[in-house]
Amino acid sequence: MSCVLRQTVWAIGFLLLALPAAAGAQGSDPLLDSASPMRWKAQLLPETGPELELPEYFDATDRARAYLAAGRYRRAIYELRGADADPIDRAILVTEANLHLGRLDEAAAALEGVEEPSAKVLGARIARARGDLAGAAERLDRHIETWPQSLPGRLLRAQVAEEAGDLDAAIAQYRWFVDQRFLQAWASDPDSRRFEAPEDVVTIATALDRFATLTGEYRTDPSLHDAILGMFVRAYDLIDRTY
């Protein structure tokens, strides 16, 4: 390493060590925060913010899941480092966090070798984020063939088809949610075990909304608007306000 390069590395290292102390002593400084060393460091450290009120019995996986739900993606990954967590749970949570952060290579690496159904959907989401809609569609077709009742798989397959401009395929996938008569089941008993998970309710409502939008069903059946909106509202208001 040349003398000039070595001095540059030392200078950057000194700044990385010194800037946090300066920031702590003088308060937040927008100019300081926007300096390159601080911006580089911000990509590595967990997000700061108010601590979540988590039960004492939460283990690392529970905490990571809570931080992930709160949008604290780097903190979720940090909670799992060195923790005694289930390898599949760790892989899925780390992949999800990296996917939100746009770290697609890290997301794919964390998911490698995991065969869980949710991992297959995550793999398709990574392909979609890379712009590989054909690859995402192929992954989802295989996933749906194995797990035909996969709500996230069905919704994502429809969304991928819609993004690719294949509206007929998208409507066919969205229609699956109509054919399952989810809306009728919801209208008769929204407290059914089928609708216990807020993510399931939101997935179903999203698919029904897109189907009604693309096919013009909202114009022919005005009651659909309030029915589908009610699913979104209940998912947050009554099922789980932390979702």
Side-chain angles (χ1 to χ4, degrees):
M1 183 183 294
S2 69
C3 181
V4 173
L5 180 58
R6 186 181 296 109
Q7 290 176 347
T8 302
V9 171
W10 287 345
I12 292 173
F14 175 77
L15 283 171
L16 288 172
L17 292 172
L19 284 174
Q26 300 175 6
S28 179
D29 184 332
L31 182 61
L32 187 63
D33 292 340
S34 65
S36 293
M38 292 299 289
R39 286 189 284 109
W40 298 335
K41 185 178 179 182
Q43 297 301 312
L44 303 174
L45 296 180
E47 300 92 342
T48 58
E51 283 299 317
L52 301 184
E53 295 183 6
L54 304 177
E56 292 185 3
Y57 59 80
F58 266 23
D59 60 15
T61 301
D62 295 325
R63 292 194 300 273
R65 192 172 285 115
Y67 280 112
L68 184 64
R72 308 267 286 275
Y73 307 122
R74 292 193 298 272
R75 179 61 184 268
I77 296 172
Y78 176 81
E79 289 291 333
L80 291 167
R81 286 179 178 168
D84 183 18
D86 179 83
I88 294 176
D89 288 340
R90 180 198 303 274
I92 289 174
L93 289 168
V94 169
T95 299
E96 182 81 40
N98 277 314
L99 189 53
H100 281 291
L101 291 167
R103 300 172 178 172
L104 303 184
D105 290 340
E106 290 90 335
L111 201 61
E112 191 170 348
V114 181
E115 297 297 326
E116 290 292 299
S118 57
K120 301 302 182 183
V121 177
L122 279 172
R125 286 176 57 192
I126 294 170
R128 177 194 188 190
R130 285 174 166 160
D132 181 12
L133 297 181
E138 182 180 349
R139 287 170 178 264
L140 289 165
D141 286 340
R142 292 199 305 268
H143 169 72
I144 291 170
E145 184 177 353
T146 306
W147 293 282
Q149 298 297 314
S150 171
L151 298 181
R154 291 276 186 179
L155 176 61
L156 186 59
R157 181 64 181 88
Q159 292 171 330
V160 167
E162 193 173 347
E163 288 181 19
D166 190 349
L167 294 186
D168 290 340
I171 290 172
Q173 290 295 335
Y174 289 131
R175 188 184 299 277
W176 180 86
F177 290 85
V178 177
D179 293 341
Q180 299 301 303
R181 300 184 65 81
F182 286 125
L183 194 57
Q184 290 83 350
W186 171 268
S188 63
D189 185 12
D191 293 319
S192 165
R193 292 190 62 184
R194 177 182 292 186
F195 306 115
E196 283 182 337
E199 57 268 27
D200 289 347
V201 174
V202 169
T203 297
I204 293 168
T206 300
L208 295 176
D209 169 65
R210 290 307 299 157
F211 179 81
T213 300
L214 293 175
T215 61
E217 289 290 321
Y218 277 133
R219 293 194 299 272
T220 59
D221 185 358
S223 67
L224 273 178
H225 178 273
D226 288 343
I228 294 174
L229 177 62
M231 297 182 78
F232 287 112
V233 172
R234 187 181 175 89
Y236 163 74
D237 203 35
L238 292 177
I239 300 177
D240 186 357
R241 281 186 170 242
T242 66
Y243 175 63

